[in-house]
Amino acid sequence: MTERSGQAGDATGGPAPTTPVCYRHPDRGTYVRCTRCDRPICPECMRDASVGHQCPECVSEGRRTVRPARTAFGGGAAGRQGYVTKTLIALNVLVMVLSIVSARSGSAVAGGGLGGLMGNSTPLTDWGAVLGQAVFSDGTIGGVAQGQWYRLVTAMFLHYGVVHLLLNMWALWVLGRTLEAVLGPLRFLALYLIAGLGGNVAVYLFSAPNQPAVGASTAIFGLFAAIFVIMRRLGRDTSAIVPILVINLIFTFTVPGISVAGHLGGLVVGALMALVLAYAPRMRRTAFQTAGGAILLVALLGLVLVRTAALTG
């Protein structure tokens, strides 16, 4: 204990009592002590604690030993801010702008510079759409079967027109913030990308090889399935989710031009990934979730290889 001596002697001739001094400021007397280390601390060094006060060193040590808050499924609390959802929306909007620019610079696009706005294809959607195999105008053969696997990813960020984009982004804004808050940023991003990939693989498997498809709706349908699974796992009411999902499925089967395979593929794969995230055993949750996601990815890539062999064999 650091102390400061008083004047030698007192009225009785004995030693004078000493006053404890702050361990960080020896010139300041104090009778307050840190509730953890019991060192004297002055008002400047006091940090409010649940009981009494603590010194700055003990507060810092406590922060290092406290585990960060996690969600019910092992994710980080940062998901409540919706950063991944906002980033995905911004990325889709940016790609839409680039698509419109590519339409203005492409002379072969129907509708000229309005092609990207009005729902026509653009040079960018032609480049990045899911396409099994087709002969292009210059006589070359392209598509996923020809090694253009990037189309299975790029297609989920491209859209045929602004209306197509707005519908998907509204759904992503509504569903994404809820799921990201519950799952955490990384798990939500994995869910989104794997569901979107699953929908695009389904397009490759079950659609005509020369029929292109784009849109974030493959991932969006995966989020619809996931929010149903997650809410059931948490014991929450899902009665409001089912009608919305049914309405979207009706549109899928009745509105011309919608990729049925893409929507159903995203729905199924999104549900499977959500089951992995929601029902992973608590003791080895992260390892189980990682392994489950990896197995889904390997299965999807295996299906791609099988389809490619069938188209090129």
Side-chain angles (χ1 to χ4, degrees), residues 44 49-50 94 108 124 131 160 175 193 196 266 269:
E44 183 179 336
S50 56
L94 175 61
L124 191 59
L131 184 70
Y160 287 135
L175 298 171
L193 294 177
V269 175

Side-chain angles (χ1 to χ4, degrees), residues 34-83:
C34 173
T35 55
R36 292 188 65 178
C37 66
D38 199 42
R39 290 181 292 187
I41 49 177
C42 67
E44 183 179 336
C45 299
M46 295 177 188
R47 303 293 185 269
D48 290 334
S50 56
V51 177
H53 299 84
Q54 294 182 8
C55 65
E57 281 77 5
C58 287
V59 171
S60 298
E61 179 65 25
R63 288 173 178 170
R64 286 195 295 269
T65 57
V66 173
R67 297 180 62 183
R70 314 296 293 180
T71 70
F73 304 105
R80 298 170 186 170
Q81 305 300 321
Y83 294 132

Side-chain angles (χ1 to χ4, degrees), residues 91-306:
L91 182 58
N92 277 273
V93 172
L94 175 61
V95 173
M96 184 75 251
V97 172
L98 295 177
S99 185
I100 295 172
V101 171
S102 74
R104 290 181 177 276
S105 61
S107 60
V109 177
L114 295 178
L117 288 169
M118 303 305 293
N120 296 318
S121 64
T122 70
L124 191 59
T125 56
D126 291 341
W127 169 83
V130 178
L131 184 70
Q133 183 172 266
V135 179
F136 299 139
S137 58
D138 60 1
T140 60
I141 301 177
V144 178
Q146 300 300 315
Q148 297 176 345
W149 286 38
Y150 67 86
R151 292 175 177 271
L152 297 172
V153 176
T154 55
M156 72 177 81
F157 297 100
L158 290 163
H159 294 84
Y160 287 135
V162 174
V163 174
H164 187 198
L165 171 73
L166 292 177
L167 289 174
N168 282 334
M169 292 305 98
W170 174 80
L172 175 56
W173 177 250
V174 173
L175 298 171
R177 289 179 301 162
T178 300
L179 285 170
E180 187 178 350
V182 174
L183 295 174
L186 292 179
R187 286 166 175 79
F188 169 70
L189 181 61
L191 167 68
Y192 184 91
L193 294 177
I194 291 176
L197 179 64
N200 289 336
V201 169
V203 172
Y204 181 47
L205 293 175
F206 302 111
S207 298
N210 62 346
Q211 181 64 48
V214 299
S217 51
T218 53
I220 298 300
F221 266 74
L223 299 187
F224 272 119
I227 200 166
F228 179 82
V229 172
I230 294 298
M231 292 300 107
R232 289 296 298 268
R233 183 69 176 91
L234 293 173
R236 299 180 185 175
D237 183 25
T238 57
S239 59
I241 301 173
V242 175
I244 298 175
L245 180 57
V246 170
I247 291 172
N248 278 274
L249 287 173
I250 291 174
F251 279 126
T252 298
F253 285 101
T254 59
V255 176
I258 290 181
S259 174
V260 176
H263 285 190
L264 295 185
L267 187 75
V268 172
V269 175
L272 292 175
M273 187 61 192
L275 288 171
V276 169
L277 295 173
Y279 290 92
R282 185 178 181 85
M283 295 302 297
R284 300 181 59 85
R285 181 166 49 199
T286 300
F288 186 92
Q289 291 168 338
T290 303
I295 290 172
L296 282 175
L297 283 175
V298 170
L300 292 173
L301 295 179
L303 292 172
V304 172
L305 289 174
V306 171

